[in-house]
Amino acid sequence: MEAYDTGSDARQGRDGQDGPAGPHGAAEPPGGPDGTGGAVPAGAPRTGVAALSPRYQAGAVLALAVVAVAVCAHLGLVFLHVAPSNTLTKQHGEAVDEWVFPEFEQNWKLFAPNPLQQNVAVQVRADVSQADGAIRTTGWYDLSAEDGRAIDGNPLPSHTQQNELRRAWDFFVSSHDSDNRPVGLRGTLSETYLRQIAVQRLERNDAAGEGGTVERVQYRSRTTNVKPPPWTGEKVSDRPAYRELPWWTVPRGGAA
């Protein structure tokens, strides 16, 4: 019988390097036959942030830090807005309100002991000077109904459509007395805000017409009670109640 020395062949790969041989004599990759259990080869390309140069890595870290600070500041201001009165809100309440109103305003009306039980529609009309010098008064534009139509069937309505007009009207009502006289500086600010909204909405509806200019605007609200469930036995009036505001002059250029 002839003896064959197969040990050296089993220890050498096809390229002549020492290592465990595969089933066909080829050297197996490090970490096992599939090559998945070994370390990442030194020449493998880097991915993610590690693939960026040091300068861009520093820029990415800085951007993330700025975003984190902005988010924390926003959450902190909103928290102070909804929190009970405290030393910080007393000292910096004006700055908190300037950040929160009107886009990020929060309230507890949904969970109040007496949730809103009325539908309030905000309407506006205008005095328009025409090209021949005549003045005409437009009909009432139901701005709340316009927002409702924009929201109805829209899976992602904008914050403006949902809250701009509603919050502006609540702002006015809370900062004026029953005779529509402003209470403090916030009352005057609420009038300016409503006037700007009126001008924008009237321009959108082309209320002035060709060659016309909006000279004055007037708001009114139409409030109707929500009908209670039959089982309550409660009776409420279904007649609308109106609240008319005085005419406001629109500064030239439409700015308040």
Side-chain angles (χ1 to χ4, degrees):
M1 295 180 62
E2 294 181 359
Y4 293 95
D5 183 8
T6 58
S8 61
D9 292 337
R11 290 192 301 269
Q12 290 185 349
R14 193 171 290 179
D15 56 359
Q17 296 179 351
D18 291 339
H24 301 291
E28 293 181 355
D34 57 358
T36 59
V40 177
R46 295 181 296 176
T47 60
V49 177
L52 300 175
S53 65
R55 182 177 65 177
Y56 286 106
Q57 289 182 6
V61 172
L62 178 61
L64 290 175
V66 170
V67 171
V69 170
V71 170
C72 291
H74 171 72
L75 294 177
L77 290 170
V78 172
F79 171 79
L80 290 175
H81 172 69
V82 300
S85 179
N86 54 69
T87 303
L88 284 175
T89 55
K90 290 178 180 178
Q91 293 181 350
H92 306 289
E94 185 175 349
V96 172
D97 289 344
E98 288 180 355
W99 175 260
V100 170
F101 288 106
E103 289 83 3
F104 308 116
E105 195 269 345
Q106 308 287 319
N107 60 65
W108 300 98
K109 288 183 178 179
L110 178 63
F111 307 101
N114 295 305
L116 294 177
Q117 299 177 0
Q118 296 174 322
N119 287 322
V120 180
V122 180
Q123 304 169 345
V124 69
R125 65 177 177 176
D127 273 350
V128 177
S129 62
Q130 298 178 296
D132 59 1
I135 300 292
R136 68 175 175 87
T137 301
T138 68
W140 290 101
Y141 290 87
D142 194 332
L143 305 184
S144 296
E146 292 178 1
D147 286 346
R149 288 191 294 269
I151 294 171
D152 189 25
N154 185 352
L156 296 173
S158 70
H159 179 83
T160 299
Q161 293 166 340
Q162 296 180 83
N163 296 318
E164 180 187 59
L165 179 65
R166 179 180 61 84
R167 293 303 305 130
W169 184 257
D170 287 347
F171 184 20
F172 175 89
V173 171
S174 64
S175 59
H176 284 70
D177 60 22
S178 58
D179 294 323
N180 299 320
R181 291 177 300 204
V183 179
L185 296 177
R186 288 179 62 80
T188 304
L189 177 62
S190 70
E191 292 182 4
T192 302
Y193 188 34
L194 270 179
R195 184 163 56 238
Q196 291 176 335
I197 292 175
V199 172
Q200 293 173 355
R201 299 293 186 92
L202 290 168
E203 288 179 351
R204 187 184 305 170
N205 286 285
D206 194 25
E210 186 176 357
T213 303
V214 174
E215 299 290 344
R216 300 191 306 167
V217 296
Q218 183 185 31
Y219 274 98
R220 78 174 182 185
S221 65
R222 181 179 185 271
T223 303
T224 54
N225 292 314
V226 176
K227 188 177 180 180
W231 52 265
T232 64
E234 184 180 357
K235 303 294 183 183
V236 297
S237 173
D238 58 356
R239 298 185 60 182
Y242 292 91
R243 176 177 179 174
E244 283 195 5
L245 275 54
W247 285 94
W248 294 333
T249 301
V250 176
R252 293 299 178 182

